[in-house]
Coordinates of all heavy atoms in Angstrom, one line a residue:
Chain U
L871 N -191.6 56.8 7.5 CA -191.3 56.9 9.0 C -190.8 58.2 9.5 O -191.4 58.8 10.4 CB -190.3 55.8 9.4 CG -189.8 55.8 10.8 CD1 -190.9 55.3 11.7 CD2 -188.5 54.9 10.9
T875 N -192.9 61.1 11.6 CA -192.3 61.6 12.9 C -192.2 63.1 12.8 O -192.5 63.8 13.8 CB -191.0 60.9 13.2 OG1 -191.1 59.5 13.0 CG2 -190.5 61.3 14.6
R879 N -193.8 66.0 15.1 CA -193.0 67.0 15.8 C -193.5 68.4 15.4 O -193.4 69.3 16.2 CB -191.5 66.9 15.5 CG -190.9 65.5 15.9 CD -190.5 65.6 17.3 NE -189.7 64.4 17.6 CZ -190.1 63.2 17.9 NH1 -191.4 63.0 17.9 NH2 -189.3 62.3 18.1
Chain P
N1511 N -180.9 61.2 27.0 CA -179.6 60.7 26.6 C -178.5 61.0 27.6 O -177.4 60.8 27.3 CB -179.2 61.2 25.2 CG -180.2 60.8 24.2 OD1 -180.7 59.6 24.1 ND2 -180.6 61.8 23.4
P1558 N -184.4 49.2 25.4 CA -185.9 48.8 25.4 C -186.0 47.5 26.1 O -185.1 46.6 25.9 CB -186.3 48.7 23.9 CG -185.2 49.5 23.2 CD -183.9 49.4 24.0
L1563 N -192.8 44.3 20.3 CA -192.1 44.9 19.1 C -190.6 45.1 19.4 O -189.9 45.1 18.5 CB -192.8 46.3 18.9 CG -192.4 47.0 17.7 CD1 -192.9 46.3 16.4 CD2 -192.9 48.5 17.7
N1564 N -190.3 45.4 20.6 CA -188.9 45.7 21.0 C -187.9 44.6 20.6 O -186.7 44.9 20.4 CB -188.7 46.0 22.4 CG -189.4 47.3 22.8 OD1 -189.6 48.1 21.9 ND2 -189.7 47.4 24.1
I1567 N -185.4 45.2 17.7 CA -184.0 45.9 17.9 C -182.9 44.9 18.2 O -181.8 45.1 17.8 CB -184.1 47.0 18.9 CG1 -182.8 47.9 18.7 CG2 -184.2 46.6 20.3 CD1 -182.9 49.3 19.2
Chain L
P836 N -177.8 59.8 20.1 CA -178.2 59.7 18.6 C -177.5 60.8 17.8 O -177.2 60.6 16.6 CB -179.7 60.0 18.6 CG -180.1 59.7 20.0 CD -179.0 59.8 20.9
L891 N -185.1 64.2 16.1 CA -184.4 63.4 17.1 C -184.3 64.1 18.5 O -183.8 63.5 19.4 CB -183.0 63.0 16.7 CG -182.8 61.8 15.8 CD1 -181.4 61.5 15.6 CD2 -183.5 60.6 16.4
C958 N -175.8 50.9 14.2 CA -176.0 52.2 14.6 C -177.3 52.8 14.0 O -178.1 53.4 14.7 CB -174.9 53.1 14.1 SG -173.4 52.7 15.0
F959 N -177.5 52.5 12.7 CA -178.7 53.1 12.0 C -180.0 52.6 12.7 O -180.9 53.3 13.0 CB -178.6 52.6 10.6 CG -179.7 53.3 9.7 CD1 -179.5 54.6 9.3 CD2 -180.8 52.6 9.4 CE1 -180.5 55.2 8.5 CE2 -181.8 53.2 8.5 CZ -181.6 54.5 8.1
W960 N -180.0 51.3 12.9 CA -181.2 50.7 13.5 C -181.4 51.3 15.0 O -182.5 51.5 15.4 CB -181.0 49.2 13.5 CG -182.3 48.4 13.8 CD1 -182.4 47.5 14.8 CD2 -183.6 48.6 13.3 NE1 -183.7 47.0 14.9 CE2 -184.4 47.7 13.9 CE3 -184.1 49.4 12.2 CZ2 -185.8 47.6 13.6 CZ3 -185.4 49.3 11.9 CH2 -186.2 48.4 12.6
G961 N -180.3 51.5 15.7 CA -180.5 52.0 17.0 C -181.0 53.4 17.0 O -181.7 53.8 17.9
V962 N -180.7 54.2 16.0 CA -181.2 55.6 15.9 C -182.7 55.6 15.4 O -183.5 56.4 15.9 CB -180.3 56.4 15.0 CG1 -181.0 57.7 14.6 CG2 -178.9 56.6 15.6
I963 N -182.9 54.7 14.5 CA -184.3 54.7 13.8 C -185.3 54.0 14.7 O -186.5 54.4 14.7 CB -184.2 54.0 12.4 CG1 -183.4 54.9 11.5 CG2 -185.5 53.7 11.9 CD1 -184.1 56.2 11.2
Y964 N -184.9 53.0 15.4 CA -185.9 52.2 16.1 C -186.8 52.9 17.1 O -188.0 52.8 17.0 CB -185.3 51.0 16.8 CG -186.4 50.2 17.6 CD1 -187.3 49.4 16.9 CD2 -186.5 50.4 18.9 CE1 -188.3 48.8 17.5 CE2 -187.6 49.7 19.6 CZ -188.4 48.9 18.9 OH -189.5 48.3 19.5
P965 N -186.3 53.9 17.9 CA -187.2 54.7 18.7 C -188.3 55.4 18.0 O -189.4 55.5 18.5 CB -186.2 55.6 19.4 CG -184.9 55.0 19.4 CD -184.8 54.2 18.1
L966 N -188.0 55.8 16.8 CA -189.0 56.4 16.0 C -190.1 55.5 15.7 O -191.3 55.8 15.8 CB -188.5 57.0 14.7 CG -187.3 58.0 14.7 CD1 -186.9 58.5 13.4 CD2 -187.7 59.2 15.6
I967 N -189.7 54.3 15.3 CA -190.7 53.2 15.0 C -191.6 52.9 16.2 O -192.8 52.9 16.1 CB -190.0 51.9 14.5 CG1 -189.2 52.2 13.2 CG2 -191.0 50.8 14.2 CD1 -188.5 51.1 12.6
S968 N -190.9 52.7 17.3 CA -191.6 52.4 18.5 C -192.6 53.5 18.9 O -193.7 53.2 19.3 CB -190.6 52.2 19.7 OG -191.2 52.2 20.9
E969 N -192.2 54.7 18.8 CA -193.0 55.8 19.2 C -194.2 55.9 18.3 O -195.3 56.1 18.7 CB -192.2 57.1 19.1 CG -192.9 58.3 19.8 CD -192.2 59.6 19.6 OE1 -191.0 59.5 19.2 OE2 -192.8 60.6 19.8
L970 N -194.0 55.6 17.0 CA -195.1 55.7 16.0 C -196.1 54.5 16.1 O -197.3 54.6 16.1 CB -194.5 55.6 14.6 CG -195.2 56.5 13.6 CD1 -195.2 58.0 14.0 CD2 -194.5 56.3 12.2
V971 N -195.5 53.3 16.4 CA -196.4 52.1 16.4 C -197.0 52.0 17.8 O -198.2 51.8 17.9 CB -195.5 50.8 16.1 CG1 -196.4 49.6 16.2 CG2 -195.0 51.0 14.7
S972 N -196.2 52.0 18.9 CA -196.8 51.7 20.1 C -197.0 53.0 21.0 O -197.6 52.9 22.1 CB -196.0 50.7 20.9 OG -194.7 51.3 21.2
G973 N -196.6 54.1 20.5 CA -196.8 55.3 21.2 C -195.9 55.5 22.4 O -195.9 56.5 23.1
Q974 N -195.0 54.5 22.7 CA -194.1 54.6 23.8 C -192.7 55.0 23.3 O -192.2 54.5 22.4 CB -194.0 53.2 24.5 CG -194.8 53.0 25.7 CD -194.4 54.0 26.8 OE1 -193.3 54.2 27.1 NE2 -195.4 54.6 27.5
K975 N -192.2 56.0 23.9 CA -190.8 56.4 23.7 C -189.9 55.3 24.3 O -190.2 54.9 25.4 CB -190.5 57.7 24.2 CG -190.9 58.8 23.3 CD -190.3 60.2 23.7 CE -190.7 61.3 22.7 NZ -190.2 62.6 23.2
V976 N -188.8 55.0 23.6 CA -187.8 54.2 24.2 C -186.4 54.8 24.1 O -186.2 55.7 23.2 CB -187.7 52.7 23.6 CG1 -189.0 52.0 24.0 CG2 -187.6 52.8 22.1
T977 N -185.5 54.5 24.9 CA -184.2 54.9 24.8 C -183.3 53.7 24.3 O -183.5 52.7 24.8 CB -183.6 55.3 26.2 OG1 -184.5 56.3 26.7 CG2 -182.2 56.0 26.1
V978 N -182.5 54.0 23.3 CA -181.5 52.9 22.9 C -180.1 53.5 23.3 O -179.6 54.4 22.7 CB -181.6 52.6 21.5 CG1 -180.5 51.6 21.1 CG2 -183.0 52.1 21.1
G979 N -179.6 52.9 24.4 CA -178.4 53.5 25.0 C -177.2 52.7 24.8 O -177.1 51.7 24.1
Y983 N -175.3 49.3 22.0 CA -174.3 49.6 21.1 C -173.0 48.9 21.4 O -172.3 48.3 20.6 CB -174.0 51.1 20.9 CG -175.2 51.9 20.3 CD1 -176.0 52.7 21.1 CD2 -175.5 51.8 19.0 CE1 -177.0 53.4 20.6 CE2 -176.5 52.5 18.4 CZ -177.3 53.3 19.2 OH -178.4 54.0 18.7

Side-chain angles (χ1 to χ4, degrees):
Chain U
L871 172 72
T875 310
R879 297 276 193 279
Chain P
N1511 302 313
L1563 185 72
N1564 290 338
I1567 192 156
Chain L
L891 274 188
C958 291
F959 188 78
W960 191 233
V962 169
I963 288 296
Y964 178 73
L966 302 183
I967 298 180
S968 165
E969 198 186 339
L970 216 61
V971 175
S972 65
Q974 262 296 317
K975 276 194 177 176
V976 291
T977 307
V978 178
Y983 293 106

